[in-house]
Amino acid sequence: MKAVFDCVSIFPEMFAALTGFGVTRKAQEAGLWSLALWNPRDYADNAWRAVDDRPYGGGPGMVMQAAPLEAAIRAAKARQQASGGVTQSRVIYLSPQGVPLNHAKAVEMTADMRAGVGLVLLCGRYEGVDERLIERVVEEEISVGDFVVSGGELAAMLLMDALIRQLPGALGDAASAVEDSFVSGLLDCPHYTRPEVYAGQAVPEVLLSGDHARIRRWRLKASLARTRKRRPELLAQRALSAEETQLMAEIHHEQCGEQ
Ligand code: 9D3
């Protein structure tokens, strides 16, 4: 089943970042996913196509009005149901107040899409959208992290990219998605390519050895050391194998020796 996305946005042209480039473009050309864009301005009831107004209660900025957003979302849902294959549409509002996106969530959502769930992604601008619209039609709110961006479009594209690259056949090398950082619960190891010496820095000798067992162990150790240094909370959430425990002990001793 093809993954079906519909995005509601006043800046539909932004989505060319996904449809025009790289893995996501190739996957769309291969028919693995489809996208339809819905501009709420097309559903505005005024000649100047305004879809925002001043907030009740006062304060800075503007709020997106419920009616044109609801009309665009209904049109998106109708297209999904008619597209064939979609058995259920899920309306998601990308919002700073949402549940933070993570890899486990992305895996779950990709599985849902493969099983026939179409996503309708609502992208807000200005200060946000009228709460009554959220109560009426939004099923889930998702944030992409604890930082502020200018609107929901880039967040929607991050989410879509994370889902699309997991679709079977989306990545040239089938192994890439499984070996990804976070799939293993660890940060990735360093990577090197030609030349063998760059700016006086040589590639670690082990990577030139051809000894695949040693290389695998070196990479695992480098991943563990990086994760311990940069993201210790990831290690706290994850069990270690016997080999990983051994490597962590080595890392610990080497760090002590550096003091
Ligand atoms: C002063 C209150 N701000 C809310 C935290 C105002 C505000 C900031 C940014 C209102 C809307 C936005 C636009 N952001 C998004 O639409 C957004 C977002 C984000 O800013 N961070 C992380 N994830 C997301 S998903 C959508």
Side-chain angles (χ1 to χ4, degrees):
M1 168 56 203
K2 160 197 282 229
V4 177
F5 296 92
D6 285 71
C7 294
V8 174
S9 163
I10 60 166
F11 298 129
E13 295 89 350
M14 286 182 72
F15 290 84
L18 281 186
T19 57
F21 304 90
V23 160
T24 49
R25 175 189 172 158
K26 294 237 163 64
Q28 190 193 36
E29 287 167 355
L32 301 182
W33 65 284
S34 69
L35 170 65
L37 295 161
W38 305 88
N39 191 337
R41 292 196 189 284
D42 293 336
Y43 300 88
D45 64 357
N46 55 88
W48 49 98
R49 303 190 0 124
V51 293
D52 62 321
D53 208 335
R54 289 162 299 159
Y56 279 117
M62 299 293 269
V63 176
M64 294 186 92
Q65 292 173 292
L69 292 178
E70 180 162 348
I73 290 166
R74 298 235 173 273
K77 278 186 155 184
R79 182 211 74 120
Q80 286 197 345
Q81 307 293 328
S83 76
V86 173
T87 51
Q88 188 196 324
S89 295
R90 187 179 299 163
V91 180
I92 297 175
Y93 173 38
L94 284 306
S95 128
Q97 285 74 48
V99 178
L101 181 63
N102 61 27
H103 184 72
K105 177 87 185 147
V107 168
E108 211 175 273
M109 292 179 75
T110 302
D112 291 346
M113 295 197 83
R114 293 183 63 199
V117 174
L119 299 188
V120 177
L121 303 180
L122 171 60
C123 305
R125 282 275 153 174
Y126 316 113
E127 286 307 302
V129 315
D130 191 305
E131 189 68 21
R132 294 166 296 184
L133 181 274
I134 301 173
E135 286 165 6
R136 276 173 66 80
V137 305
V138 170
E139 288 152 86
E140 212 173 320
E141 279 186 64
I142 295 180
S143 158
V144 294
D146 292 337
F147 51 90
V148 180
V149 296
S150 306
E153 286 81 5
L154 286 171
M157 285 190 267
L158 277 176
L159 171 63
M160 290 171 71
D161 186 276
L163 303 186
I164 290 163
R165 64 196 307 290
Q166 292 187 70
L167 295 171
L171 299 179
D173 176 2
S176 303
V178 217
E179 282 175 16
D180 254 343
S181 172
F182 290 112
V183 178
S184 68
L186 298 175
L187 300 186
D188 209 353
C189 63
H191 301 283
Y192 301 89
T193 187
R194 293 199 295 175
E196 238 178 83
V197 178
Y198 174 71
Q201 288 274 90
V203 170
E205 173 277 323
V206 56
L207 299 179
L208 311 174
S209 70
D211 181 341
H212 296 294
R214 240 182 102 216
I215 292 169
R216 189 197 56 78
R217 209 174 140 80
W218 180 89
R219 286 181 167 154
L220 177 57
K221 186 173 174 180
S223 283
L224 287 164
R226 267 191 171 176
T227 309
R228 191 180 88 128
K229 184 145 194 255
R230 300 182 189 177
R231 299 290 303 277
E233 80 283 5
L234 292 180
L235 286 175
Q237 293 162 17
R238 181 183 180 281
L240 295 182
S241 68
E243 181 187 36
E244 288 166 351
T245 305
Q246 159 78 46
L247 290 169
M248 283 301 281
E250 288 179 27
I251 292 162
H252 190 73
H253 283 115
E254 285 159 19
Q255 305 289 310
C256 289
E258 276 172 27
Q259 312 288 318

